[in-house]
Amino acid sequence: MENEVIEYDIVLGDDAAHTEDPVDDDSSGGGEFYVPEGDTNLEPYVGREFESEEAAKAFYNSYARRVGFSTRINWSRRSSRDGRIVHRIFVCAKEGFRVEKRTRGSVVEVKKHRTETRVGCKAMLVVKIQDSGKWVVSSFVKEHNHELVPQDKVHCLRSHRQISGYAKSLIDTLHRAGMGPRGIMSALITEFGGVTQVGFTEVDCRNYLRFSRLRTLGGDTHILLDYLKRMHAEDPTFFYDVQGEEDQCIGCIFWADSKARMNYTYFGDTVTFDTSYRPNRYRLPFAPFIGVNHHGQPLLFGCAVLLNESEASLIWLFNTWLRAMLGHPPVSITTDYDRMIRSAIKQVLPETRHRFCKWHIFKEGQEKLSHVFLEHPSFEAEFHRCVNLTESIEEFESCWTSLIDRYGLREHEWLQTVYTVRGQWVPVYLRDTFFAEMSITQRSDSMNSYFDGYVNASTTLQMFVKKYEKALDSRYEKEVKADYDTMNTAPVLKTPSPMEKQAAELYTRNLFMKFQEELVETLTFMATKVEDDGAITTYRVAKFGEDHKAYFVRLNVLEMSASCSCQMFQFSGLLCRHVLTVFRVTNVLTLPSHCVLKRWTRNAKSSVILEERASDLLNSCRESLTVRYNNLRHEALKYVDEGVNTIDIYNVAMGAIQQAAKIVSLAKKNGGRMTLVNGSGEEGSGTDGSGYHQLGLGQPLSMDDKDKKIQELSRELDSANQKCEEYRANLLTILKDIEEHKLQLAVNSQNIKLRIKDKF
């Protein structure tokens, strides 16, 4: 008997099936069964022969699929002569029990525990190689100690989740056409005739797309990273970070320039985040964080490229974005309809109101409800009316129940799913939160629009870097033009109301037009007092001839505040026509200050950023691990570039680096604190053993000298603090003047452009 080497294959079982692991490229279609040629018995038995170990593995896996369990390799033995495998044991994936990993005697802390699935099952197939070269079954245990999986769910088992070559081709084609993983899976289910025939899950589809992207990208991510490094070197407040190592980035890349970070301090109350924007040829989700400025224009708060769309990557991204925005979460955030995004936001932004984009849900509904639309042509219009036009939660609930009962859709899976999250997309549930939109029923243009016209399906990352800056410049020009229009053109007033004149002077031009529309509409409304308890008076407001459709406004006369049942002010930041109608009939001639949201006014950005925010912006650059790394490397490379010129400069540079290494080493010993002694960073070079510093020629200080020195230093510190306060006050004044001067220059520049345009 030849000497043999026993080998244990460490392979994860089904307890890892829910994670995003790569799918074997060599796998065949999940619906295919392997049967050895010439043998019609589909169940293993002792003595059965196979041409190879792989044939035995494929046969046992096919058997497991028919029966309803998953398999894995548990143990193997190799020959000591030539190293080939001579003995294999295939087991049920529920074999054995989980063993907790330990480090230095303690259990490793796990952030997210996987579901326990191993139950000590004894089912197995043992095969050995014969002298003839064939493999034979030497042992077979059929019985399991757990329930087997029914055939309609067997495709979810790990060893049976396989993507065939035909399926890969379809995935690639559909992805190039702009479909995401969810849409691709729906198409595959239709193509293969059911989810059980597809042979893999949506997670496997996402994994395949992710690894396909990484193979296609090659070195293009380095082009983007080089651009980000260069931008940070030119401007330390330019923020970027990479999930994982920069040389092997497999997660996300995020960046935000100083203007985006500054704009967030003015307009960071509401944010839109969209991962469905896939403009480049890799179909990579390019995910911008978009806000709305005081003109109602889209505003950039940072960008991300998602190489991986897993929940862990999304959590990393939101944490990184929040760090770039100095830790100040928005009031609200709007995203596309996605379970993993919802989970990530719940963990990172628990206080932020999360809304799903209603139009993404409507778009998905066109696919999920296509057969209903064909069978009942009136259903789609009624569905939209139920969502968009109901005025209260009670009205929506009643309308929804009536709609699905009338068309027999109470058991429709997709409708049930979106109904359970109705509080995150149906308008009546969201009116009490600010989203910076003028209409709760119309579509916001901020989603997907910021980079439209600059990137498309053929755009590479190298091209994107150039077009990205062009898009920023274009958006800035549009904002400057809106500033110019606000400052240099007077709107046409449509009423004699002092309130309209006041609003024209307060709001930006675009926002005034919205306010004017609401104000003019008050002429077609009437308000009737229905309740008065002294402090608060309630009015019923309805349009002439439409008494059945009324709104209720509560007016506090003492505080001059009002709230309406339509909740437009909470949702958009502008007063609605119903409140303005009550103001008209109660002779409120001007807008109370608390009814004017500063973020919509022409002075929204006129004040200098708060001092502590400016300090936070600079400190965050130093606190970021990525930024510190880039700063140190940038400075060190200066010595390298200079030091290679001559041998003398090389020696000086090398000496400086060695001295710096000693100082860093001493600082590490002192917990990050460093004391310079006699102009040196060397430990013990200037101390008397008591820890007190020495001056001059090394004579220790007396107690009186120490007290005098402390008093002297204290006076110097007080004087320095006083000067800092004066400098700070002067700096804030200068910054304010600069902001105003920049705005005036932008307006003058626009005037010149317009005059030149008129001449030619």
Side-chain angles (χ1 to χ4, degrees):
M1 184 75 177
E2 64 181 22
N3 294 328
E4 294 174 340
V5 177
I6 297 176
E7 177 183 278
Y8 294 89
D9 287 352
I10 303 175
V11 181
L12 290 174
D14 272 347
D15 54 354
H18 64 284
T19 62
E20 299 208 355
D21 296 315
V23 179
D24 188 359
D25 283 346
D26 297 327
S27 58
S28 59
E32 299 175 1
F33 296 131
Y34 176 84
V35 180
E37 190 175 339
D39 193 338
T40 58
N41 191 342
L42 299 181
E43 183 174 295
Y45 57 86
V46 175
R48 183 163 202 161
E49 292 185 342
F50 300 93
E51 291 297 323
S52 65
E53 175 214 345
E54 284 300 320
K57 176 183 176 182
F59 174 79
Y60 191 55
N61 200 50
S62 295
Y63 164 75
R65 181 183 178 92
R66 294 193 299 277
V67 173
F69 66 97
S70 183
T71 67
R72 60 184 173 85
I73 300 173
N74 174 258
W75 182 88
S76 64
R77 177 183 294 156
R78 293 182 182 272
S79 168
S80 60
R81 289 184 176 179
D82 53 17
R84 64 172 180 163
I85 296 174
V86 296
H87 192 174
R88 277 283 199 196
I89 298 180
F90 305 105
V91 297
C92 172
K94 293 181 178 290
E95 179 271 344
F97 298 94
R98 174 180 292 169
V99 178
E100 296 292 348
K101 295 181 180 179
R102 296 179 176 272
T103 302
R104 295 181 181 178
S106 61
V107 178
V108 174
E109 293 185 3
V110 180
K111 291 183 179 180
K112 187 176 181 180
H113 288 277
R114 291 173 174 172
T115 305
E116 177 63 77
T117 59
R118 299 199 183 186
V119 295
C121 181
K122 301 296 185 181
M124 72 172 78
L125 180 75
V126 183
V127 292
K128 295 180 180 180
I129 194 170
Q130 303 297 297
D131 294 339
S132 62
K134 291 188 176 183
W135 288 73
V136 65
V137 176
S138 62
S139 178
F140 169 58
V141 178
K142 179 179 179 180
E143 293 74 20
H144 297 259
N145 66 346
H146 55 87
E147 290 186 9
L148 298 175
V149 176
Q151 283 300 303
D152 63 341
K153 295 180 177 62
V154 75
H155 66 284
C156 297
L157 293 174
R158 183 175 178 78
S159 68
H160 308 308
R161 288 160 46 187
Q162 302 168 342
I163 304 180
S164 67
Y166 175 61
K168 290 176 184 177
S169 178
L170 281 177
I171 291 173
D172 292 337
T173 301
L174 295 172
H175 195 53
R176 283 194 295 270
M179 276 194 184
R182 186 180 300 170
I184 290 174
M185 282 302 297
S186 296
L188 291 176
I189 290 171
T190 303
E191 172 69 18
F192 284 92
V195 66
T196 59
Q197 301 301 314
V198 175
F200 53 90
T201 65
E202 185 178 325
V203 170
D204 300 319
C205 181
R206 289 179 183 273
N207 287 330
Y208 172 75
L209 290 172
R210 173 160 59 96
F211 284 95
S212 178
R213 288 179 200 142
L214 292 174
R215 285 193 297 267
T216 305
L217 272 171
D220 275 12
T221 53
H222 293 289
I223 296 170
L224 177 59
L225 290 173
D226 289 343
Y227 167 77
L228 299 179
K229 293 171 190 175
R230 186 177 73 252
M231 294 299 294
H232 172 71
E234 296 173 359
D235 177 10
T237 60
F238 184 98
F239 180 97
Y240 83 94
D241 206 351
V242 175
Q243 185 184 17
E245 297 293 334
E246 288 192 11
D247 294 338
Q248 296 179 339
C249 176
I250 58 171
C252 306
I253 303 172
F254 171 80
W255 70 95
D257 61 28
S258 56
K259 189 173 183 63
R261 303 177 74 187
M262 185 71 74
N263 281 334
Y264 186 81
T265 64
Y266 299 118
F267 306 111
D269 41 20
T270 186
V271 178
T272 293
F273 174 73
D274 184 18
T275 59
S276 67
Y277 193 57
R278 302 168 189 268
N280 51 67
R281 72 176 184 182
Y282 312 113
R283 309 309 303 167
L284 279 174
F286 169 66
F289 290 85
I290 304 293
V292 181
N293 69 7
H294 51 324
H295 300 293
Q297 299 168 326
L299 198 65
L300 192 64
F301 292 149
C303 301
V305 171
L306 302 181
L307 300 176
N308 183 351
E309 295 176 77
S310 66
E311 182 178 321
S313 290
L314 289 168
I315 290 173
W316 176 92
L317 175 59
F318 286 123
N319 275 316
T320 303
W321 173 76
L322 192 60
R323 182 157 49 91
M325 300 301 119
L326 309 180
H328 300 285
V331 173
S332 61
I333 187 169
T334 302
T335 73
D336 41 319
Y337 177 44
D338 187 275
R339 175 187 58 80
M340 288 188 291
I341 292 178
R342 183 189 188 193
S343 177
I345 289 178
K346 188 179 293 186
Q347 296 179 60
V348 181
L349 303 169
E351 303 300 322
T352 298
R353 187 72 179 272
H354 180 202
R355 176 180 69 164
F356 293 130
C357 179
K358 176 182 60 179
W359 302 103
H360 284 180
I361 292 181
F362 280 158
K363 184 178 179 180
E364 187 175 308
Q366 291 177 345
E367 175 193 337
K368 301 294 185 180
L369 299 169
S370 57
H371 63 288
V372 180
F373 294 165
L374 288 174
E375 187 176 350
H376 305 286
S378 61
F379 175 80
E380 185 174 10
E382 291 187 47
F383 178 61
H384 280 255
R385 279 198 297 271
C386 178
V387 172
N388 288 326
L389 301 182
T390 47
E391 296 289 342
S392 66
I393 293 176
E394 293 76 15
E395 184 182 353
F396 166 77
E397 295 287 351
S398 175
C399 180
W400 181 277
T401 302
S402 174
L403 184 67
I404 63 173
D405 284 345
R406 186 160 63 254
Y407 289 98
L409 299 172
R410 186 170 286 275
E411 302 302 321
H412 193 283
E413 185 178 353
W414 184 81
L415 285 173
Q416 287 180 337
T417 301
V418 296
Y419 178 75
T420 59
V421 293
R422 59 194 180 280
Q424 290 184 262
W425 68 280
V426 177
V428 291
Y429 291 92
L430 300 161
R431 288 175 174 168
D432 60 347
T433 304
F434 182 74
F435 284 95
E437 294 176 12
M438 295 305 107
S439 172
I440 203 162
T441 60
Q442 295 177 0
R443 182 174 185 176
S444 169
D445 290 331
S446 62
M447 293 284 261
N448 287 354
S449 64
Y450 195 90
F451 292 95
D452 279 359
Y454 292 91
V455 291
N456 52 48
S458 63
T459 303
T460 64
L461 286 181
Q462 185 174 11
M463 296 164 60
F464 171 76
V465 167
K466 298 177 181 178
K467 294 189 176 184
Y468 163 80
E469 292 189 340
K470 289 184 178 180
L472 294 186
D473 291 341
S474 173
R475 287 294 176 182
Y476 178 67
E477 282 296 321
K478 290 180 180 178
E479 183 176 335
V480 169
K481 177 63 167 59
D483 286 336
Y484 168 82
D485 290 341
T486 295
M487 296 181 67
N488 291 277
T489 61
V492 177
L493 302 183
K494 297 182 178 180
T495 72
S497 168
M499 187 180 292
E500 184 181 15
K501 185 176 184 298
Q502 175 198 14
E505 295 172 351
L506 285 174
Y507 289 119
T508 61
R509 186 65 60 245
N510 291 344
L511 268 295
F512 169 72
M513 301 301 290
K514 301 289 186 182
F515 175 83
Q516 187 182 58
E517 181 182 335
E518 295 297 316
L519 185 65
V520 170
E521 281 295 319
T522 64
L523 301 176
T524 64
F525 278 79
M526 59 181 295
T528 306
K529 186 187 296 184
V530 295
E531 185 179 344
D532 188 351
D533 62 5
I536 297 177
T537 305
T538 303
Y539 291 85
R540 185 179 186 273
V541 182
K543 201 169 187 177
F544 289 104
E546 296 182 6
D547 290 342
H548 63 284
K549 192 174 183 180
Y551 301 87
F552 293 89
V553 176
R554 291 166 54 85
L555 176 67
N556 187 320
V557 179
L558 296 178
E559 298 179 0
M560 287 310 301
S561 61
S563 62
C564 180
S565 58
C566 77
Q567 297 181 302
M568 177 176 167
F569 185 76
Q570 292 93 318
F571 186 75
S572 68
L574 279 181
L575 286 177
C576 63
R577 58 195 64 179
H578 317 120
V579 169
L580 293 175
T581 297
V582 171
F583 280 174
R584 175 172 55 81
V585 300
T586 55
N587 294 317
V588 177
L589 300 180
T590 59
L591 288 170
S593 59
H594 55 263
C595 292
V596 179
L597 205 62
K598 184 181 179 182
R599 62 114 55 232
W600 290 133
T601 67
R602 58 177 64 194
N603 296 321
K605 297 173 66 176
S606 62
S607 60
V608 179
I609 184 173
L610 293 177
E611 183 181 345
E612 58 268 23
R613 287 287 187 89
S615 176
D616 287 347
L617 192 63
L618 294 174
N619 288 337
S620 69
C621 293
R622 292 190 287 269
E623 291 170 2
S624 168
L625 178 63
T626 302
V627 171
R628 292 200 303 268
Y629 172 80
N630 289 332
N631 287 340
L632 287 172
R633 184 171 61 176
H634 180 71
E635 291 299 317
L637 286 176
K638 292 180 181 178
Y639 287 96
V640 176
D641 293 337
E642 295 292 334
V644 298
N645 291 332
T646 68
I647 187 63
D648 293 334
I649 298 178
Y650 168 80
N651 290 333
V652 171
M654 183 60 73
I657 292 174
Q658 291 172 346
Q659 181 68 16
K662 293 180 181 179
I663 296 174
V664 171
S665 177
L666 178 59
K668 288 172 64 178
K669 291 180 181 179
N670 294 332
R673 297 182 300 276
M674 184 59 215
T675 302
L676 291 176
V677 185
N678 287 340
S680 170
E682 295 184 10
E683 187 175 12
S685 62
T687 61
D688 60 1
S690 63
Y692 292 108
H693 298 172
Q694 298 175 345
L695 300 175
L697 298 175
Q699 297 298 323
L701 292 173
S702 67
M703 292 302 297
D704 290 339
D705 290 336
K706 293 172 187 173
D707 291 338
K708 290 179 181 178
K709 190 64 179 176
I710 292 173
Q711 293 174 3
E712 180 183 343
L713 292 173
S714 298
R715 286 193 297 271
E716 291 179 4
L717 180 61
D718 292 339
S719 176
N721 285 336
Q722 185 176 357
K723 289 181 180 179
C724 285
E725 290 298 326
E726 295 174 359
Y727 292 152
R728 184 180 291 110
N730 291 335
L731 179 61
L732 289 174
T733 302
I734 293 170
L735 287 173
K736 185 174 182 179
D737 291 341
I738 290 173
E739 287 283 335
E740 294 175 353
H741 187 58
K742 283 170 60 180
L743 182 59
Q744 190 59 48
L745 285 176
V747 172
N748 291 341
S749 174
Q750 192 66 31
N751 285 336
I752 293 171
K753 289 181 180 179
L754 290 174
R755 285 199 295 270
I756 293 174
K757 185 178 180 180
D758 291 340
K759 287 182 180 181
F760 295 98

